[in-house]
Amino acid sequence: MSSIHVKQTAITSYPKFIGRALWLATEGSFAFYAWMTVLTAVFLVGANAWANQVAGGMITTNMTDHVSWGLYIANFTFCVGLAAGGVMMVIPAYLYDDEEMHKVVIIGEAVAIAAIVMCTLSVVVDLGRPDRFWHLIPGIGKFNWPMSMLTWDVIVLNGYLLINLHVVGYLLYMRYLGRKPNGWWYLPFVFLSIFWAISIHTVTAFLYCGLGGRPFWNSALLAPRFLASAFVSGPAFIILVMRVLRVTTGYTAPASPARTLIQIIRVAMTINLLMLVSEIFTVLYTGSAHAAPLNYLFFGDHGKNGLVPWIWTAIGMNIVGTALFFTPAALERSHIRILACLLVIIGIWIEKGMGLIVPGFIPSTLHEIVEYAPSLLEWKVVAGIWGLGLIILTLSLKLIVNVFTGRMHTDEPTT
Amino acid sequence: MTNTEPNNTQQAESSANRSLPIVENFTRRAVVKGGFATLGAAAFVAAVSPLRQAAKSTTAVEFMQQHYTELSPEQKADVIARLEAETKEKYGADVTIADDRPIPGTKFVYAINLSVCNGNGKCVEACHKENNHDRSTNQSYIRVIEMPKGTMDMEKGSTTYSGIVPKDDKFYLPVQCQQCDEPPCVEVCPVKATWKEEDGIVVVDYNWCIGCRYCEAACPYHARRFNWKQPEVPSEELNPDQSYLSNRVRPVGVVEKCTYCLHRTRRGKLPACLEACPTGARVFGNILDKNSNIRWILENKRVYILKEELGTKPAFFYYFD
Ligand code: SF4
Ligand code: SF4
């Protein structure tokens, strides 16, 4: 083996690296296996629910011609935010050129990868004809690009996935070989991914705000609000992941990146809440026809108020979470910080998910009010998607920890 | 964790032969992991087994079928023969599916006289029957809004009105696909499953649509319908006079819409909703024909269109006497 050329080694040893990575990533304690078993079970429940949906038709969901997108697209929207937010981590890391930050950056990218997989699945389960998915593949299908925003989304999401796979794979591989990463091989991609993170969000916002017939979405505020909330949910999720890693594996990062993240969250969440206030003000003060969906969302309309509890829960969580982020304790490794993260993640999941999608359809374009609440089957499918997403995240985190703690390194002489 | 494992077991084993420190543990672990992986894979197969049911109703030919605009005449004939046979098998009815193409020099336009329409809803019913809509959901492409006189604000209207019509203080506004000249529904479709034909009719290829419902979100007139389930129509009620792009029985999971009854209008007949209307409120015709009734109305009445501010340019007009 040692007589083989360096060039050949790279080609043969990368697949071997991946193989060993997978093997070691599935090694673990009893708790690890229990966690993975639970996730697998949840995933299987979701897969089964989806199979039933395909077999029985989407009548098994609670969507209707009035509210034709529901929980699936809501979850999709949130996951896009999560994916974009995951890479926000990257900005401070390279701005301050801090070597130690790589430990955190790579976590952000792992979150992004898992989130993108969840995005794709959330769209696939929403299709009435998943068997015709190939119609969407450029070349063999019929790709309505550049007219359809959805085709843009397909492109940017897949591009984002590839970029992140490359960066994570390369950085880990170099660590594994014990070499110093060559900046030319990954820095351009890192900067590309920052730009790209903003683009996946913007394009997803355009998906909705480009629809003139839906006044609730057809607002210039949609894309910026979308970004602002991504700057909250992404970093908050990473802080949570870092905490879990520290407790379970002892993998720690320096305290400074987390502080930077908290600063980002503070600013972004404040902006987000300000925009919310301006939206509510518009409804209360002018009461124009365009305000009907907002009215329905916040206060209910004609006695129909299915979303009111959702949105106020979200607002409550967001306000309390933000307040907690402003306490000094949030800058330390404290329970307050964890609680704050949990609150804003759930708050934004509701606000940017159900709270964003469903009011687009209520009232309908002919001003009918037909309400929507997800069916049990829809909940199962979404849970299944999260199950798979968390499986992917867990495995990639294990891999990262294995490499960074030196548990996994090459047994060949480095050149 | 499930399906990838048999692979990496092998890979890992081969590297274990060389220099892993945990080599004594290795075979046992490989066996345990392999066991779990097999179990997981089996559970997965069991979980998605309902898919087999769905796969049965989709043949390989159907799966591979190309976009309508790319089918050769022979392929089209095959597809149509297959669809007719399927309808016979599933619905027990003999139907003919034609491939009606636009007549050159035609641009269809619709107009409704709101002073005359009395909200009796016969058009809704006629559409339901003509277009082989699902019986259990009472589907139709037309909705009639009962509006209080003195407003144009749809927010004040109701589509679920009942009782004796017309009511003195109300007028009635039927809405269906406006066959927009700038159709947002066509723009957003990611796979070009819906498009505007030369005579102005916006159609859907039910065998190409992937059911993403983006068009349904984009349409400002609530004109599109999704097949949440396989439509149910008793064989004796099935309208056998069908066309590929209009009223043939739709598959589950795709979007459909009003086609101005192209299987009638492209053969010189009038739309079913117009024929059913007892008040004569509906006027349909070719706007390019200078002597047509519709042309006279558009030139001499004060007509208006719905949601003009959206720039969709409907080919559907409303007027009062
Ligand atoms: S009314 Fe709706 S479905 Fe019909 S052409 Fe216009 S946008 Fe498309
Ligand atoms: S539902 Fe069908 S017709 Fe509508 S946008 Fe999606 S693929 Fe196109």
Side-chain angles (χ1 to χ4, degrees), chain B residues 176-186 194 196 202 215 218-224 257-258 312 314:
Chain B
Q176 63 207 74
C177 175
Q178 314 275 305
Q179 316 292 356
C180 310
D181 281 345
E182 298 283 347
C185 57
V186 169
T194 181
K196 193 173 174 68
V202 173
C215 53
C219 171
Y221 305 98
H222 192 72
R224 294 193 162 238
K257 62 182 285 300
C258 162
T312 48

Side-chain angles (χ1 to χ4, degrees), chain B residues 23-139:
Chain B
V23 75
E24 66 278 7
N25 245 340
F26 212 83
T27 335
R28 195 179 62 84
R29 278 178 176 261
V31 169
V32 172
K33 277 193 195 183
F36 268 114
T38 319
L39 209 74
F44 181 76
V45 170
V48 298
S49 63
L51 285 182
R52 253 178 291 159
Q53 190 55 38
K56 254 188 240 156
S57 53
T58 316
T59 59
V61 200
E62 188 191 328
F63 176 74
M64 298 298 293
Q65 186 182 323
Q66 289 301 315
H67 190 270
Y68 172 80
T69 55
E70 277 161 17
L71 294 175
S72 68
E74 301 80 52
Q75 284 172 322
K76 251 185 210 169
D78 286 350
V79 168
I80 284 175
R82 192 188 77 223
L83 290 171
E84 286 171 348
E86 264 171 25
T87 317
K88 175 82 187 161
E89 189 193 321
K90 282 191 201 152
Y91 293 85
D94 290 297
V95 303
T96 39
I97 302 176
D99 177 33
D100 297 286
R101 301 303 305 141
I103 308 158
T106 318
K107 157 90 179 164
F108 287 128
V109 166
Y110 221 140
I112 295 186
N113 185 344
L114 294 182
S115 310
V116 173
C117 173
N118 65 9
N120 62 72
K122 284 280 181 288
C123 52
V124 180
E125 217 179 291
C127 175
H128 176 70
K129 292 190 181 135
E130 178 70 28
N131 289 302
N132 296 316
H133 280 292
D134 178 47
R135 292 300 184 255
S136 64
T137 45
N138 210 12
Q139 195 60 275

Side-chain angles (χ1 to χ4, degrees), chain B residues 185 188-191 193-194 204 209-215 224 255:
Chain B
C185 57
V188 299
C189 176
V191 295
T194 181
V204 181
C209 168
I210 59 174
C212 67
R213 307 188 299 294
Y214 196 8
C215 53
R224 294 193 162 238
V255 152

Side-chain angles (χ1 to χ4, degrees), chain B residues 287-304:
Chain B
I287 196 181
L288 301 179
D289 175 359
K290 290 207 168 53
N291 303 317
S292 63
N293 215 350
I294 188 90
R295 181 82 173 231
W296 187 87
I297 285 169
L298 294 187
E299 274 166 4
N300 295 285
K301 298 281 181 184
R302 273 176 288 165
V303 297
Y304 79 100

Side-chain angles (χ1 to χ4, degrees), chain A residues 312-326:
Chain A
W312 288 106
T313 311
I315 292 177
M317 287 179 145
N318 285 342
I319 290 178
V320 175
T322 313
L324 290 182
F325 273 122
F326 274 99

